[in-house]
Amino acid sequence: MPPEIEQQIARLREQLQRASYAYYVLDNPIMEDGVYDRLYRQLQELETEYPEAIAPDSPTQRVGDRPAEQFVTIEHNVPLYSLENAFNLDEFVQWQERWMRHINLSIDESWFIQEEASQPDAPVNPPGDRQILTSLSYVCELKIDGSALALTYENGLLVRGATRGNGTIGEDITPNVKTIRSIPLRLTGKEIPERLEVRGEAFMSLDVFAQLNQERTEQGETPFANPRNAAAGTLRQLDSRKVAARRLDFFAYTLHLPETSNLPKTQWESLQWLENWGFKVNPNRAQCWSMLAVRAYYDRWEQERHQLPYLTDGVVAKLNDINLQTELGFTRKFPRWAIALKYPAEELPTVVKSVTIQVGRTGALTPVAELEPVQLAGTTVKRATLHNPDRIAELDLCIGDTAIVRKAGEIIPEVVRVLPELRPPGATRYQMPENCPECGSPVVRVATEAVPRCVNPSCPGIVRGSLLHAVRRDALDIDGLGEKLVQQMVDRELVRSLADLYELTVQDLMTLERMGQRSADKLVKAIASSKTRPWHSVLYSLGIRHVGNSNAKLLCKVFSSAEQLSEAKIADLEGVYGIGPEVSGAIVEWFQEEENQRLLQRLRESGLSLHAEVEPSPSTSTASSIAGKTFVLTGTLPTLTRSEAKTRIETAGGKVTGSVSSRTDYIVVGEKAGSKLQKAEELGISQLTEAQLLELLG
């Protein structure tokens, strides 16, 4: 082996090990996934060419890295293998040929048979009248970008939840796993074995990820790089109450049973068993009876994945037949019967024209790169977050630099890195301002926070950010009050605080651009209607640091009025499940400010509800017909929003889920109903219009 090759292999190993340690142990990624994949493939190719260079400690020779040390480690009864990756369809075909050769299977002799067969789940049928053998079909599922979990059930009860760790040794995080509501604590259905293990993916939805990163940025904390990193970091929280507040989700995808049990014959059947026992299984799975079907599934979701509420970076194809899976077995690292067919990362270069500063509702100063427009993930990107001064220094950013831009979690555009070799002559490095660009006040940076802040409560940027937060749908829900109107109100000093909104007149609003009498009258009525919002929505609208919508609901169940909450001590607040010391401290600090007490008094005088209304119990007839029933909502309803319908069903004792299964009792159908309706029809589930739902609710 030439010395330069030996040095190259050593350098690649060091880079990959460092990146892997930062990602899996420190939860602080230093390398984007696409770069890691390319370096890993480069090392793999060199070791194939020079097998004498393969060493036991090479990243290619192990499944994963050691788990974090702050949790009790456990040994998995069944190892959690990683999946081999294919980065295009040609590599998928090569993988298929490898597993067929492993069992001496000839495509010409056994892959097709001459017979008719009805396969309703196949997205594409094979050409002609040839039909693929059922035992040789694939089950395709979306590859969820989250964190793998291993769940153990005994006599139907969840007894252990563990991380993947290095595939053999994981971390026992059972208290955290129990906070994920889509993971059943007790299994339902029939023929539940005494012991079973379930594998699946914990993940964070894109809307929760965006909200979490916004809150972290405003609070001076480093935002998560992507939803997968956010999910992994959440699962490693020592305080399970923080885990509960971040609303992780879970899809189950693999079932392991003792050999003495009645075993499913196919992967598809395994998923059905999991669904019947109460697990959430991805509804977008498909049985693919040919390579054409796999290709069609892959191509379809490369486009449609951008519409999903969670992040997926590829497709997982598994051989459907369990006996064939067993026959093929595993390599040292991968199952031979499954592969991940990944989508290419979407990253593009563009030029940084300037850097502007956004001042948020907490005073946080966030730098934003103004870019030459570029098409990325289906949208035109003109701006990208730079997060904080430390990130700018890490990037070594100059105005005029060519930067690589991507969408973090396919939501928020961010600058990944700059290309210094393309830097124009005389380019200057960007420096954060020492004074607030909105009000000129000196900027303060606390040593424990990554983001500098303006601490002037009258700063137009803070007032503007506070108002935009307060009027959002899950807060005061003031329709028609958008960013441009708020900007004008603050610039003209019509509004200096949230309470000023309720003193606006039609004449005040008509002084604003493009605001006629009819529009002004409509907005005044919308502001007035917000006075009926419940106490938890008002609390959320106040913008107290660390108090999101979920925390506000938890608090209002215990503290039924603003007076009670203002008198609460930290110990009282920490006694609420889901509320930790950080949230408690922020609440006590907020209520101690005299200015905030004056704000509450003005809101009270304006007619807002600062106490919880006692909700009437559902009638006996309603409770008997709704209680315990499971509903699914699909399409747009004539008068109710989806959240309103969900609230009314849950108030009556029902349950609303996001996917159709055999346990669904009713599907409520609106206009432009999606694939849920088709599945409900196949399962014979009762359909309701909005009118029929309202009649059922009484």
Side-chain angles (χ1 to χ4, degrees):
M1 181 170 56
E4 62 270 22
I5 296 296
E6 186 175 6
Q7 292 173 4
Q8 186 179 4
I9 289 174
R11 185 170 62 253
L12 286 169
R13 285 176 182 164
E14 192 274 333
Q15 289 176 313
L16 291 169
Q17 287 167 348
R18 193 155 45 87
S20 189
Y21 178 83
Y23 188 90
Y24 289 101
V25 179
L26 301 182
D27 293 331
N28 184 26
I30 60 174
M31 185 183 293
E32 52 266 45
D33 290 349
V35 174
Y36 185 96
D37 288 338
R38 288 194 295 273
L39 294 178
Y40 187 95
R41 178 61 64 88
Q42 189 176 350
L43 176 59
Q44 204 171 38
E45 289 172 352
L46 286 172
E47 289 182 346
T48 300
E49 186 175 355
Y50 300 96
E52 66 271 25
I54 298 175
D57 61 344
S58 173
T60 65
Q61 300 304 301
R62 59 182 177 183
V63 176
D65 288 319
R66 59 191 175 93
E69 296 177 357
Q70 65 265 40
F71 291 99
V72 176
T73 57
I74 53 94
E75 183 174 355
H76 294 301
N77 294 320
V78 180
L80 277 78
Y81 289 86
S82 60
L83 290 175
E84 184 177 354
N85 289 326
F87 293 94
N88 53 59
L89 289 166
D90 288 338
E91 292 185 357
F92 180 83
V93 173
Q94 293 167 13
W95 166 81
Q96 176 179 274
E97 292 172 349
R98 286 199 303 274
W99 73 253
M100 285 186 164
R101 285 197 302 269
H102 187 79
I103 58 173
N104 297 318
L105 179 67
S106 167
I107 252 189
D108 295 333
E109 296 174 4
S110 305
W111 191 239
F112 294 106
I113 59 172
Q114 301 284 333
E115 67 177 45
E116 293 289 331
S118 175
Q119 305 294 352
D121 295 301
V124 175
N125 288 323
D129 61 354
R130 298 189 300 176
Q131 180 62 48
I132 293 177
L133 285 165
T134 301
S135 61
L136 298 180
S137 65
Y138 290 110
V139 171
C140 286
E141 303 168 68
L142 298 179
K143 185 177 181 296
I144 307 301
D145 208 11
S147 190
L149 292 181
L151 311 177
T152 303
Y153 287 81
E154 293 180 356
N155 297 315
L157 288 176
L158 176 65
V159 295
R160 191 175 77 184
T163 64
R164 178 178 175 276
N166 66 4
T168 302
I169 303 294
E171 307 151 325
D172 189 338
I173 56 166
T174 305
N176 290 350
V177 166
K178 287 184 175 181
T179 68
I180 304 175
R181 293 182 178 269
S182 49
I183 294 179
L185 299 180
R186 178 187 286 275
L187 302 183
T188 57
K190 300 177 180 179
E191 298 182 4
I192 299 172
E194 291 185 9
R195 183 180 177 88
L196 74 152
E197 291 197 20
V198 174
R199 305 291 163 76
E201 200 83 2
F203 63 95
M204 183 174 287
S205 65
L206 294 176
D207 58 343
V208 174
F209 172 72
Q211 182 179 344
L212 175 63
N213 263 359
Q214 180 182 351
E215 292 172 355
R216 289 177 69 87
T217 300
E218 292 175 351
Q219 293 156 13
E221 300 173 356
T222 303
F224 287 111
N226 49 55
R228 179 177 60 182
N229 181 241
T234 297
L235 289 169
R236 287 185 171 90
Q237 291 287 326
L238 296 178
D239 186 351
S240 60
R241 293 176 294 181
K242 289 186 177 181
V243 183
R246 292 187 184 175
R247 295 177 289 160
L248 293 180
D249 209 338
F250 179 82
F251 280 132
Y253 55 66
T254 300
L255 171 63
H256 292 285
L257 294 169
E259 293 183 1
T260 55
S261 302
N262 177 28
L263 302 176
K265 295 181 175 58
T266 64
Q267 171 67 16
W268 190 261
E269 190 179 357
S270 293
L271 296 175
Q272 292 175 323
W273 285 24
L274 288 168
E275 200 167 35
N276 291 337
W277 285 335
F279 288 97
K280 187 174 182 179
V281 177
N282 195 302
N284 298 311
R285 63 193 185 274
Q287 285 182 279
C288 295
W289 305 93
S290 71
M291 181 60 69
L292 291 174
V294 174
R295 183 187 296 271
Y297 183 89
Y298 176 83
D299 290 343
R300 171 194 172 192
W301 286 107
E302 185 173 15
Q303 301 301 319
E304 295 187 15
R305 65 193 175 109
H306 299 300
Q307 311 303 321
L308 293 169
Y310 48 81
L311 192 61
T312 175
D313 61 352
V315 168
V316 175
K318 301 175 183 176
L319 279 165
N320 195 21
D321 188 89
I322 298 295
N323 288 332
L324 188 54
Q325 290 183 11
T326 304
E327 182 180 355
L328 285 167
F330 301 83
T331 68
R332 290 183 59 188
K333 290 192 61 184
F334 309 121
R336 291 191 178 91
W337 42 267
I339 194 168
L341 185 54
K342 300 188 76 172
Y343 294 119
E346 294 193 72
E347 297 181 355
L348 291 173
T350 187
V351 175
V352 179
K353 299 191 295 183
S354 63
V355 175
T356 56
I357 298 294
Q358 291 182 338
V359 181
R361 62 183 175 88
T362 65
L365 272 63
T366 304
V368 177
E370 304 292 338
L371 309 168
E372 289 286 351
V374 62
Q375 286 291 321
L376 187 63
T379 61
T380 301
V381 174
K382 299 179 181 179
R383 313 177 81 214
T385 181
L386 293 166
H387 298 301
N388 53 55
D390 293 340
R391 180 58 177 159
I392 292 178
E394 182 184 347
L395 290 167
D396 188 28
L397 180 73
C398 292
I399 305 301
D401 270 344
T402 298
I404 302 299
V405 181
R406 73 176 175 196
K407 284 192 175 182
E410 300 190 2
I411 301 177
I412 307 167
E414 67 173 355
V415 174
V416 177
R417 61 187 179 277
V418 300
L419 303 177
E421 62 271 21
L422 300 180
R423 181 168 292 162
T428 57
R429 285 171 175 78
Y430 179 78
Q431 299 292 327
M432 289 287 290
E434 296 181 356
N435 294 87
C436 174
E438 293 276 1
C439 67
S441 301
V443 171
V444 175
R445 183 170 180 183
V446 180
T448 57
E449 296 186 350
V451 176
R453 295 182 186 277
C454 174
V455 293
N456 172 20
S458 300
C459 173
I462 294 177
V463 175
R464 188 168 56 245
S466 299
L467 288 174
L468 289 171
H469 169 79
V471 303
R472 58 194 298 174
R473 179 173 293 181
D474 44 3
L476 296 178
D477 192 19
I478 301 179
D479 187 36
L481 191 50
E483 187 172 354
K484 292 183 178 179
L485 271 180
V486 168
Q487 177 81 47
Q488 290 188 67
M489 290 177 179
V490 175
D491 288 348
R492 301 191 185 191
E493 297 187 347
L494 286 176
V495 177
R496 296 183 179 87
S497 77
L498 176 59
D500 290 340
L501 277 181
Y502 295 92
E503 297 177 2
L504 290 173
T505 65
V506 171
Q507 288 70 30
D508 291 331
L509 294 174
M510 288 178 63
T511 65
L512 302 177
E513 296 177 8
R514 299 183 180 181
M515 182 62 72
Q517 182 170 350
R518 183 176 178 182
S519 298
D521 184 63
K522 185 177 179 180
L523 182 54
V524 167
K525 290 179 180 177
I527 293 171
S529 68
S530 70
K531 297 177 183 180
T532 62
R533 296 291 287 169
W535 160 226
H536 68 80
S537 296
V538 178
L539 174 59
Y540 177 49
S541 75
L542 298 176
I544 302 173
R545 289 185 69 185
H546 307 297
V547 179
N549 193 30
S550 298
N551 282 343
K553 291 179 180 179
L554 292 172
L555 289 163
C556 292
K557 288 180 179 179
V558 179
F559 304 100
S560 60
S561 67
E563 289 80 6
Q564 285 188 14
L565 191 57
S566 66
E567 295 170 359
K569 303 294 189 293
I570 286 182
D572 302 326
L573 294 164
E574 289 185 3
V576 179
Y577 180 79
I579 304 300
E582 199 172 36
V583 180
S584 302
I587 293 170
V588 170
E589 181 181 345
W590 192 91
F591 278 98
Q592 287 176 345
E593 293 287 338
E594 291 185 9
E595 184 176 344
N596 293 331
Q597 289 295 335
R598 288 194 293 270
L599 172 64
L600 287 173
Q601 182 58 32
R602 289 184 63 192
L603 293 176
R604 188 179 292 108
E605 292 171 354
S606 297
L608 270 78
S609 176
L610 301 183
H611 62 277
E613 299 289 343
V614 178
E615 296 185 0
S617 301
S619 65
T620 303
S621 60
T622 300
S624 63
S625 59
I626 295 295
K629 301 293 185 182
T630 299
F631 291 74
V632 170
L633 307 172
T634 183
T636 303
L637 300 179
T639 64
L640 295 175
T641 66
R642 190 165 294 195
S643 60
E644 288 170 343
K646 182 175 185 288
T647 299
R648 296 192 65 167
I649 291 170
E650 291 176 344
T651 300
K655 176 184 176 183
V656 178
T657 63
S659 58
V660 176
S661 71
S662 58
R663 300 182 311 281
T664 304
D665 295 294
Y666 298 101
I667 182 168
V668 183
V669 182
E671 290 185 10
K672 297 181 179 179
S675 58
K676 295 177 184 177
L677 176 58
Q678 181 180 352
K679 185 170 182 181
E681 290 174 342
E682 292 173 359
L683 295 175
I685 292 168
S686 300
Q687 299 179 26
L688 299 175
T689 62
E690 181 190 279
Q692 291 170 325
L693 172 65
L694 294 174
E695 183 179 354
L696 194 62
L697 291 168

